[in-house]
Amino acid sequence: MEQILPHLDSVFSIDCVLFGFDGKELKILLIERNEEPFKDWWALPGNIVGPDESLDQSASRILYELTGLRGIYMEQYYAFGDPHRHPQGRVITLAYYALIRLGGDKELRPVSNYAKQANWLPISDLPKLAFDHQKIYDKGLEKIKRRIKHQPIAFELLPEKFTLTQLQHVYELVLGKKLDKRNFRKKITSFGVLKELDEKQKGVSYRAATLYRFDKRKYAKLFGKEISF
Amino acid sequence: MEQILPHLDSVFSIDCVLFGFDGKELKILLIERNEEPFKDWWALPGNIVGPDESLDQSASRILYELTGLRGIYMEQYYAFGDPHRHPQGRVITLAYYALIRLGGDKELRPVSNYAKQANWLPISDLPKLAFDHQKIYDKGLEKIKRRIKHQPIAFELLPEKFTLTQLQHVYELVLGKKLDKRNFRKKITSFGVLKELDEKQKGVSYRAATLYRFDKRKYAKLFGKEISF
DNA sequence: ATTACTTAGTGTAAAAATTACACACTATAT
DNA sequence: ATATAGTGTGTAATTTTTACACTAAGTAAT
């Protein structure tokens, strides 16, 4: 904010907690570093913010480079700026989370040189993370726990057409607790943002469930009214 | 996150929305700039983050320099990083809000050179703000609106001993709507975090109300259980 | 001491939301 | 035809939320 901007040896980066759901588990995308510091450690994907990039753009770019995906729901949630969080200098990092529906195995692209590999790992069994990335992850999970109670973000983790059981499963994974089936259905349908389709689940070896779709239009109309779980 | 940190011409700053409550109105502290760009405009107080300062420290310092106050509740809530938000270069700013009980007029110190004056202005009648500070303020207000519903932050705006009417007043100002007196009292006391004192309000020309105190101990015990307004 | 004024403090009934809980149905696979 | 696995549904009890109005207490002015 000073008139003449002092030149400080400072860098900002973005680190992303990419949450993915494959129908069974909640996972995050981690990369195995190929460079010091923390060579061979697992870390959150991140990068330096380019000089003409907005923060959101930068986050989208990181995601795109690793997964080839665009148009994914991302949200900035905190800045981590401990002076010593990076051993090689002052790096303030802005944390983003993303919510991604995983289907097949096409959500990974060849990694760039600073990583040996990238992998979706289940959050129930994460390795030790480089830098302060555990803290960043923890806060990210906390954020989506809070947010899923009030905003329709669960749908971002599901395919466009989904069953109520799948939806419930997402809530249970994120909130970390079991929910009652009947009560869940009563509540989620009472919001009036689900459109029941004339279509059934396919490829299951038991009674197929009805498919639903999230109705963005109806949701937009609700604006102002809080959803609450 | 790269091994060799590239040297980018980048700066991070902190901007603060200091909310103050004087018993009547909700105000924020603004400074009138004395330098280009935006000379003579009102702006949120802010500063560059020092090289060895943590973000929280930096925010506390800004607050201290303007008000002489320490130990104030502050919270980082968003990073604003549009490449063109600052006309003189890339400045990513981290926004903090603070909640301050105003009493008397001692919450202002002589301003430093980059400001002509600093002043507490009621949020009901704010001037045009420099840079993207209107956006920063808007998001800050939105954040405390959300937070006051779930966390005991209203007490930060009140003196240690307060009446239930004063507390209700704070909620009404932050939420921007009237609340029912009986329902408010029922709810706020049901949380069990208020300690009723053996003491009455003083200096009023009508029936004095009972004073209460926020009981941090009891609140700590509630941990996990969500308060909800 | 009377009166006028101003805010404090209190209860209830109706409506709405939440919780706890179990079984019959349907599609598939063998 | 039978076994299997998940779908889909209702109700009663409890809790929470909402709407609503008057008396009590203290101060100030006369």
Side-chain angles (χ1 to χ4, degrees):
Chain A
M1 295 294 109
E2 299 298 324
Q3 183 175 6
I4 291 144
L5 296 176
H7 192 94
L8 297 178
D9 232 344
S10 57
V11 175
F12 14 83
S13 65
I14 295 213
D15 285 306
C16 298
V17 184
L18 309 177
F19 288 99
F21 180 62
D22 60 6
K24 297 224 170 92
E25 283 179 302
L26 202 53
K27 296 178 171 175
I28 62 172
L29 185 59
L30 292 176
I31 56 131
E32 195 182 358
R33 289 177 60 84
N34 201 20
E35 289 179 350
E36 295 294 346
F38 291 99
K39 185 159 155 50
D40 303 329
W41 287 57
W42 290 92
L44 296 173
N47 220 321
I48 304 294
V49 178
D52 292 313
E53 243 179 355
S54 79
L55 305 178
D56 291 356
Q57 276 165 12
S58 183
S60 301
R61 177 173 56 81
I62 290 168
L63 181 130
Y64 178 71
E65 286 170 0
L66 277 159
T67 65
L69 298 171
R70 290 195 199 274
I72 295 294
Y73 179 82
M74 297 190 85
E75 190 106 25
Q76 185 211 299
Y77 65 90
Y78 205 71
F80 295 83
D82 186 278
H84 306 296
R85 60 174 295 281
H86 195 297
Q88 294 177 333
R90 184 74 193 263
V91 183
I92 291 179
T93 200
L94 306 172
Y96 276 74
Y97 64 80
L99 300 176
I100 302 169
R101 38 194 139 231
L102 302 179
D105 271 330
K106 44 181 185 186
E107 287 87 4
L108 281 179
R109 304 172 81 200
V111 295
S112 64
N113 55 324
Y114 83 108
K116 266 190 255 184
Q117 58 164 323
N119 231 324
W120 290 100
L121 302 181
I123 64 167
S124 55
D125 186 28
L126 292 178
K128 276 228 162 84
L129 299 181
F131 303 101
D132 54 355
H133 287 188
Q134 181 67 42
K135 217 162 89 183
I136 297 176
Y137 162 74
D138 288 343
K139 191 138 189 161
L141 181 60
E142 196 188 289
K143 283 280 170 179
I144 67 165
K145 267 190 191 176
R146 235 165 226 288
R147 178 131 320 190
I148 204 173
K149 290 188 180 172
H150 303 291
Q151 309 276 146
I153 62 169
F155 309 105
E156 306 289 339
L157 289 166
L158 289 167
E160 208 182 341
K161 300 170 181 182
F162 52 85
T163 69
L164 294 182
T165 301
Q166 287 166 351
L167 183 58
Q168 182 178 344
H169 194 183
V170 168
Y171 272 90
E172 289 180 340
L173 281 172
V174 172
L175 296 176
K177 65 177 181 195
K178 284 254 169 262
L179 301 171
D180 177 84
K181 181 155 75 160
R182 277 177 293 193
N183 294 339
F184 177 81
R185 286 168 179 237
K186 209 182 310 173
K187 187 150 203 178
I188 203 87
T189 53
S190 78
F191 295 142
V193 298
L194 291 184
K195 187 180 170 68
E196 184 175 348
L197 302 178
D198 234 359
E199 219 176 321
K200 302 275 172 187
Q201 202 177 16
K202 277 185 183 150
V204 289
S205 69
Y206 46 80
R207 175 181 181 185
T210 303
L211 291 170
Y212 288 77
R213 177 199 305 257
F214 172 58
D215 189 333
K216 280 182 198 173
R217 266 216 212 144
K218 284 191 196 151
Y219 176 67
K221 281 189 194 157
L222 282 185
F223 195 74
K225 287 174 203 161
E226 285 248 318
I227 279 180
S228 210
F229 244 87
Chain B
M1 294 292 113
E2 300 298 322
Q3 184 177 3
I4 290 144
L5 296 175
H7 194 95
L8 298 177
D9 232 344
S10 57
V11 176
F12 12 83
S13 64
I14 294 208
D15 285 307
C16 299
V17 184
L18 309 177
F19 288 99
F21 180 64
D22 61 4
K24 296 224 170 92
E25 282 179 301
L26 202 52
K27 296 177 172 175
I28 62 173
L29 185 59
L30 292 176
I31 56 129
E32 194 182 359
R33 290 177 60 84
N34 202 18
E35 287 179 354
E36 294 296 344
F38 292 99
K39 184 159 157 53
D40 304 331
W41 287 57
W42 290 92
L44 296 173
N47 221 321
I48 306 292
V49 178
D52 292 313
E53 242 179 357
S54 78
L55 305 177
D56 291 356
Q57 275 165 12
S58 183
S60 301
R61 176 173 56 81
I62 290 167
L63 181 130
Y64 179 71
E65 286 171 1
L66 277 159
T67 64
L69 297 172
R70 290 195 199 274
I72 295 294
Y73 178 82
M74 297 189 86
E75 190 105 25
Q76 185 211 300
Y77 66 90
Y78 205 70
F80 294 83
D82 186 278
H84 307 295
R85 60 174 294 280
H86 195 297
Q88 294 177 333
R90 185 75 194 263
V91 183
I92 291 178
T93 199
L94 306 172
Y96 276 75
Y97 64 79
L99 301 176
I100 302 168
R101 40 194 136 228
L102 302 179
D105 271 328
K106 46 182 180 181
E107 289 87 4
L108 282 179
R109 304 173 79 200
V111 294
S112 64
N113 54 323
Y114 82 110
K116 266 191 253 183
Q117 57 164 322
N119 230 323
W120 290 99
L121 302 182
I123 64 168
S124 55
D125 187 28
L126 292 179
K128 276 227 164 82
L129 299 182
F131 304 102
D132 53 356
H133 287 188
Q134 181 68 41
K135 217 161 87 185
I136 297 177
Y137 161 74
D138 287 344
K139 191 140 191 159
L141 181 60
E142 195 188 289
K143 283 280 170 178
I144 68 165
K145 266 190 192 178
R146 237 164 224 289
R147 178 131 318 190
I148 204 172
K149 289 187 183 175
H150 303 289
Q151 309 276 147
I153 62 169
F155 308 106
E156 305 290 338
L157 289 166
L158 290 167
E160 207 181 343
K161 300 171 182 180
F162 52 84
T163 69
L164 294 182
T165 301
Q166 287 165 350
L167 183 58
Q168 181 178 346
H169 195 184
V170 168
Y171 273 90
E172 290 180 338
L173 282 173
V174 172
L175 296 177
K177 66 178 181 195
K178 283 256 170 261
L179 301 172
D180 178 84
K181 180 157 76 161
R182 275 177 292 189
N183 293 339
F184 177 82
R185 285 167 180 236
K186 211 183 307 176
K187 186 151 205 178
I188 204 86
T189 52
S190 77
F191 295 141
V193 299
L194 292 183
K195 188 181 169 69
E196 184 174 349
L197 301 177
D198 234 0
E199 218 174 320
K200 302 276 174 187
Q201 203 177 15
K202 278 187 182 149
V204 288
S205 70
Y206 46 80
R207 176 181 179 183
T210 302
L211 291 170
Y212 288 77
R213 177 198 306 255
F214 172 57
D215 189 333
K216 280 182 197 171
R217 267 216 209 144
K218 284 191 196 151
Y219 176 67
K221 282 189 193 157
L222 282 186
F223 196 74
K225 287 175 203 161
E226 283 248 317
I227 279 180
S228 209
F229 244 87

